[in-house]
Amino acid sequence: QVQLVESGGGLVKPGGSLRLSCAASGFTFSDYYMSWIRQAPGKGLEWVSYISSSGSTIYYADSVKGRFTISRDNAKNSLYLQMNSLRAEDTAVYYCARRWELLDYWGQGTLVTVSS
Amino acid sequence: EIVMTQSPATLSVSPGERATLSCRASQSVSSNLAWYQQKPGQAPRLLIYGASTRATGIPARFSGSGSGTEFTLTISSLQSEDFAVYYCQQYNNWPRITFGQGTRLEIK
């Protein structure tokens, strides 16, 4: 069965960095676009970024462009999100999800808290 | 950016009754619309895509309709496990998808 497991979240100070990982299993990872979606506490869902199956096509939400970098390692069935220059408004649960248009499988999420 | 607006924000319905949730797009998204269900402490789950196609394993009591700018999610006979937050999401506007703000379905 399809499984997505995020890790790497935690407490970080404003201006700091974190790298999130998403380990995929149960499907041919290299065949699929992958996405990061976030949800601030008590709020709705916000698309963050996605990456094509080969990694050649990448898009970011304006709110994170220039600060976040998405990448993948198809040999390791893993998706990553490098987050730099973090701000308080980046505090959220970060989910990885399969595909970019209809998000058919989601991980359980990892919480990122940006606070001094 | 396409803005998705859901109504109502909160819907109170009794178990066994029908629930109707609405989603409006600020411009046409054709049938490129999905619905998700999210329970407390859990990740969202895909219910409907293509405005009306149920995802794998989704019960037949969930149905979607609409096209263009107006969409509806109907739950025909509410079960206890259906009380959750529901989000609509458009994927017509490559490359940026957008979500509605959610409708909380609560027990009356």
Side-chain angles (χ1 to χ4, degrees), chain B residues 31-95:
Chain B
S31 294
N32 296 314
L33 185 108
W35 289 93
Y36 300 85
Q37 176 194 66
Q38 187 178 32
K39 297 179 180 179
Q42 296 185 17
R45 177 175 70 146
L46 177 66
L47 296 176
I48 301 283
Y49 62 93
S52 61
T53 303
R54 281 189 302 277
T56 303
I58 300 305
R61 64 181 181 273
F62 290 90
S63 63
S65 63
S67 66
T69 62
E70 300 284 344
F71 300 89
T72 300
L73 174 69
T74 301
I75 311 170
S76 59
S77 178
L78 280 164
Q79 308 296 304
S80 57
E81 61 266 30
D82 299 336
F83 293 95
V85 178
Y86 292 83
Y87 294 94
C88 63
Q89 172 239 320
Q90 67 80 21
Y91 50 94
N92 191 66
N93 187 34
W94 167 271

Side-chain angles (χ1 to χ4, degrees), chain A residues 47-60:
Chain A
W47 167 70
V48 173
S49 179
Y50 55 70
I51 185 169
S52 63
S53 53
S54 66
S56 60
T57 300
I58 287 172
Y59 287 100
Y60 299 98

